[in-house]
Amino acid sequence: RDFNERCAQCSEVNWGLTDGGRFYCRSCHNVTERTREVVNTDFITNSRVQTISKGLKKQEKNDGGCEWYICEGFQLVLKKQVEALEALGVCPQMKDEILCNFWRCYLQKSKQAYCKRPAGETVKALSVCESSTDVDSDPERPSLLHLLSLSESEGDLQTDCSFASSVSKVSESTSVYSGSVDGSLYLMKNQKENLRMTMPMTLSFCYLALLWVREPITLSELLRFVIEGHIPYMNVFQHFPEKMKLCGLDLKIFCVESWPVYEEVFNKMHELAAFLDLPRFPDITESCFLHPDMLCMKYLMEANLPDELHNWTCRVVKKIGIGEVDFLTLMPGNKSTRKVKYDVLAAAVIIVVLKLLFLLDDHYEWLLSEFAEERNRNNTEVSMFYSGGRYFEFKKWYEVVKRSLDIKQKKLDEEKAKFLWRCEKPLFYSVKNKSKVLKRRQMVVNLQNQFGKLSGSVQRAEKPNPSSFQLSWSEENTDGSCFHGHSLKGILQEKCGLLRAMNPDYWLCTVKLCNEKLCGHLAHYKEVEFPQSYHFVLGLFSFLLRIQPSYIHDEVCMIEHRLFNKKLCKKLKYNTVLRK
């Protein structure tokens, strides 16, 4: 009744009050920026009523959006990713007990939440959380989204009005437009001390939590699930609420235009673990899925190799000590321990065993294959009741696996080429243009469907269920394409009660390792410098792990130097004496 100004749209004087204390016109529903002033001081029973009304006052903008911060956007991304992992069978405790605590610790150490604003850092600090937490006041929202409001003390996340207004003024004064409050400041800020959050780091958070609970998911599988679309990553911002308007630098932060890279996610994971000052992770024991013996068994099955090779991989793991708990367990911040890539390490162990038994020099493995083929033919002709396992033929295995690998690789390349990088959900930054954008998008979809029917193109099938195995082989096949039960008797001989390889020779990938800190690799890999058999085996595991062959080659060189350490030392000393 005390507000007698006319409405700017309909010129009527018929005002009502919203829940946030602002005036709105009952005739045309126009909401003004004017708020009702509290006259009765007896009503103010809480000294923090100004801080509470501040969030409600700035909750909605003229375009229907609301104030939000970059950290809130990453919270939504993490929430979607961890929910997808739970759907894949990950333990429910990983979300609220592990990942939630990691994220809370990160926000505190990066001074974005759970801390008091440092004096004199009004513009530099990003600890603007009170106004951002009031964006979604639904009490039933998931716990991960509720992180910023779960402070032990109510004062941790409080910021005064002057700080919020100063950040808004700095954002408005920048030449680059951003839908979020701190989008421009987020990229301008030099965060050498504070690890800046990025989209690949969301996967680092997930893998860090998976590693803590020792779930049977390797990093290569995690990234493969992302590429296959089972875990939200590409265009994940389309799941943001409509009130969170993305534009300008926000799209640069959340819009991803490339596939996640193994090395980047792996290195960020270790940087993140050190930044959070995490304690020693739970031990990786022999019964854990990430132990080399367990992973070697999985990759031998997927690579269609004989089961007897597992005994040899276990012997190599035990001899060089890479199955020890202290070697495998992650200890953040300990620079003396090596960063273990569990999946790559297991693949490298298998390759070293293949070199020990078959040499892989483009000559010896083919001779063994001819010998095994002749023995298999003789055994079949001599006795119809021959019950012994077939001898493993490297040549036939190569042909079967290469045929299947080429088909899978071609299919993968086609899927990557057909991938739609553009977001399926149309992005609109104004309520006025919403109907136009939706209508235009619906028109495009209808035209695509019509042209698809005319051209006879096949509609996109639904995503298949995720699987840990990309290549599957069944022993029930009568075409002999499964080699799991084949025998290695043709290439082994017994000495002193132990089975040893008939092959006494071995060639090293490199005699001297490089400094990994300087060039990023322990050894350099060029395809022309190595046998084709070795390159094929590297390519096979490179496809299974979706990683460059050079990184598997590094692990092979590391294992070889551990395995032949004494002989290498003697050889290096001998060469030094000859030079003198």
Side-chain angles (χ1 to χ4, degrees):
R1 295 178 181 177
D2 299 333
F3 188 53
N4 298 323
E5 295 183 8
R6 293 185 177 273
C7 178
Q9 291 189 2
C10 64
S11 300
E12 294 288 337
V13 184
N14 187 14
W15 299 103
L17 283 175
T18 64
D19 294 337
R22 288 188 295 177
F23 292 101
Y24 74 96
C25 180
R26 291 194 179 99
S27 301
C28 64
H29 302 286
N30 176 36
V31 182
T32 67
E33 295 297 326
R34 291 287 299 273
T35 58
R36 183 184 181 185
E37 296 180 0
V38 179
V39 179
N40 187 6
T41 57
D42 296 335
F43 176 75
I44 306 177
T45 58
N46 189 352
S47 60
R48 296 197 178 189
V49 68
Q50 183 181 4
T51 308
I52 296 174
S53 63
K54 176 204 64 177
L56 295 172
K57 186 177 179 179
K58 295 191 176 183
Q59 182 172 348
E60 295 182 359
K61 296 181 181 180
N62 294 332
D63 58 354
C66 63
E67 288 187 353
W68 63 280
Y69 295 82
I70 297 298
C71 61
E72 287 184 300
F74 282 117
Q75 282 186 143
L76 281 167
V77 174
L78 286 172
K79 172 182 174 293
K80 294 294 182 182
Q81 291 176 348
V82 74
E83 286 178 350
L85 288 171
E86 286 183 352
L88 294 178
V90 174
C91 64
Q93 292 79 12
M94 193 192 84
K95 175 183 177 182
D96 295 328
E97 298 180 8
I98 308 302
L99 186 59
C100 175
N101 290 328
F102 287 170
W103 178 243
R104 182 185 290 112
C105 183
Y106 171 78
L107 292 177
Q108 184 178 22
K109 287 187 174 293
S110 59
K111 298 180 181 180
Q112 299 184 59
Y114 304 105
C115 63
K116 295 182 179 179
R117 178 169 56 91
E121 293 189 8
T122 304
V123 178
K124 292 183 179 180
L126 289 177
S127 55
V128 190
C129 302
E130 176 64 28
S131 59
S132 63
T133 52
D134 291 333
V135 170
D136 188 1
S137 59
D138 185 5
E140 297 182 356
R141 59 182 173 178
S143 59
L144 191 60
L145 280 177
H146 199 54
L147 285 177
L148 290 179
S149 60
L150 291 180
S151 176
E152 287 77 3
S153 60
E154 296 180 358
D156 289 344
L157 298 177
Q158 303 294 331
T159 55
D160 53 16
C161 297
S162 61
F163 174 55
S165 60
S166 63
V167 174
S168 302
K169 290 179 181 179
V170 174
S171 300
E172 294 172 0
S173 63
T174 54
S175 58
V176 184
Y177 182 57
S178 174
S180 61
V181 175
D182 58 340
S184 56
L185 290 175
Y186 195 82
L187 293 179
M188 291 169 55
K189 184 176 174 59
N190 184 14
Q191 294 193 3
K192 292 184 178 180
E193 297 180 358
N194 298 337
L195 199 61
R196 175 184 291 160
M197 191 66 185
T198 59
M199 282 300 296
M201 270 187 63
T202 60
L203 300 178
S204 299
F205 263 103
C206 292
Y207 182 59
L208 202 64
L210 289 170
L211 195 57
W212 184 274
V213 294
R214 295 180 294 184
E215 283 287 338
I217 297 180
T218 60
L219 179 56
S220 58
E221 285 181 322
L222 178 67
L223 300 185
R224 178 166 61 85
F225 292 154
V226 169
I227 294 175
E228 293 176 354
H230 302 294
I231 298 177
Y233 182 76
M234 314 298 296
N235 298 326
V236 69
F237 55 84
Q238 66 181 343
H239 300 293
F240 285 10
E242 292 188 5
K243 289 186 177 182
M244 293 178 63
K245 304 298 181 181
L246 278 85
C247 50
L249 292 178
D250 301 330
L251 295 176
K252 186 176 181 180
I253 296 172
F254 293 101
C255 184
V256 180
E257 297 181 352
S258 62
W259 304 106
V261 181
Y262 187 103
E263 281 295 310
E264 180 182 3
V265 176
F266 180 80
N267 292 332
K268 285 293 182 181
M269 184 271 292
H270 281 273
E271 291 181 22
L272 183 62
F275 177 73
L276 300 180
D277 292 330
L278 296 179
R280 177 187 169 106
F281 274 52
D283 293 343
I284 305 296
T285 59
E286 293 182 358
S287 61
C288 181
F289 177 81
L290 298 176
H291 194 275
D293 291 344
M294 300 288 285
L295 286 176
C296 283
M297 186 185 302
K298 174 185 181 299
Y299 293 138
L300 284 173
M301 294 175 62
E302 194 166 9
N304 199 15
L305 288 167
D307 299 332
E308 294 182 11
L309 286 175
H310 187 247
N311 296 329
W312 287 83
T313 58
C314 292
R315 290 171 64 178
V316 171
V317 168
K318 185 176 180 180
K319 184 174 180 61
I320 62 179
I322 60 174
E324 301 295 331
V325 174
D326 291 338
F327 178 84
L328 296 173
T329 304
L330 176 61
M331 291 181 284
N334 192 344
K335 297 182 180 180
S336 60
T337 58
R338 193 172 187 274
K339 301 175 182 178
V340 182
K341 305 169 184 174
Y342 303 99
D343 41 9
V344 182
L345 181 66
V349 170
I350 296 175
I351 295 175
V352 170
V353 169
L354 291 176
K355 288 181 65 178
L356 286 170
L357 300 180
F358 299 96
L359 199 59
L360 301 184
D361 64 345
D362 289 343
H363 178 68
Y364 186 74
E365 64 270 20
W366 306 121
L367 291 177
L368 292 177
S369 183
E370 293 175 0
F371 171 75
E373 183 181 2
E374 183 179 355
R375 290 292 296 270
N376 289 332
R377 185 168 54 250
N378 294 337
N379 291 334
T380 304
E381 294 176 355
V382 169
S383 176
M384 296 178 58
F385 303 99
Y386 176 71
S387 59
R390 291 180 59 85
Y391 284 28
F392 177 70
E393 300 178 30
F394 187 88
K395 180 180 179 181
K396 188 176 180 180
W397 170 81
Y398 169 82
E399 293 173 351
V400 170
V401 174
K402 188 177 188 304
R403 190 184 311 116
S404 179
L405 185 62
D406 291 342
I407 295 174
K408 291 287 185 178
Q409 186 65 55
K410 182 180 179 181
K411 183 179 179 180
L412 178 63
D413 295 339
E414 290 178 354
E415 290 177 354
K416 286 186 176 181
K418 294 178 181 179
F419 183 79
L420 297 177
W421 294 95
R422 180 174 294 181
C423 181
E424 295 181 0
K425 179 181 177 181
L427 298 175
F428 44 87
Y429 312 115
S430 175
V431 179
K432 297 179 181 179
N433 298 331
K434 180 177 179 180
S435 59
K436 295 181 180 179
V437 173
L438 292 176
K439 185 177 181 180
R440 188 180 303 170
R441 179 61 182 174
Q442 186 63 37
M443 186 183 301
V444 171
V445 172
N446 293 336
L447 288 174
Q448 288 177 345
N449 294 334
Q450 292 177 8
F451 280 112
K453 293 179 180 178
L454 292 174
S455 61
S457 60
V458 181
Q459 295 291 332
R460 295 176 61 186
E462 296 182 359
K463 293 185 297 184
N465 294 328
S467 173
S468 297
F469 291 90
Q470 302 176 71
L471 303 175
S472 58
W473 315 92
S474 175
E475 297 182 6
E476 298 177 356
N477 294 345
T478 58
D479 56 357
S481 60
C482 182
F483 296 86
H484 292 160
H486 287 211
S487 174
L488 300 175
K489 292 180 181 179
I491 60 174
L492 300 177
Q493 58 184 355
E494 187 174 352
K495 285 185 179 181
C496 302
L498 292 176
L499 290 176
R500 300 178 182 273
M502 295 176 59
N503 168 39
D505 301 324
Y506 189 92
W507 58 272
L508 291 171
C509 294
T510 182
V511 178
K512 188 177 181 180
L513 298 176
C514 299
N515 190 341
E516 191 174 10
K517 295 182 179 180
L518 296 178
C519 61
H521 290 276
L522 291 174
H524 296 280
Y525 174 73
K526 293 182 181 179
E527 181 181 351
V528 295
E529 297 178 355
F530 293 92
Q532 287 299 313
S533 297
Y534 177 73
H535 174 69
F536 171 76
V537 175
L538 272 186
L540 171 61
F541 287 102
S542 172
F543 172 80
L544 296 179
L545 304 182
R546 307 292 175 87
I547 192 175
Q548 293 295 327
S550 57
Y551 293 109
I552 306 178
H553 179 72
D554 287 351
E555 295 294 322
V556 171
C557 295
M558 183 273 296
I559 293 174
E560 288 179 344
H561 276 254
R562 281 176 170 263
L563 193 60
F564 303 103
N565 186 33
K566 294 182 180 179
K567 295 182 179 180
L568 283 172
C569 291
K570 291 180 180 179
K571 186 175 181 180
L572 291 174
K573 290 180 180 178
Y574 179 73
N575 292 337
T576 305
V577 171
L578 289 179
R579 289 175 184 175
K580 291 181 178 179

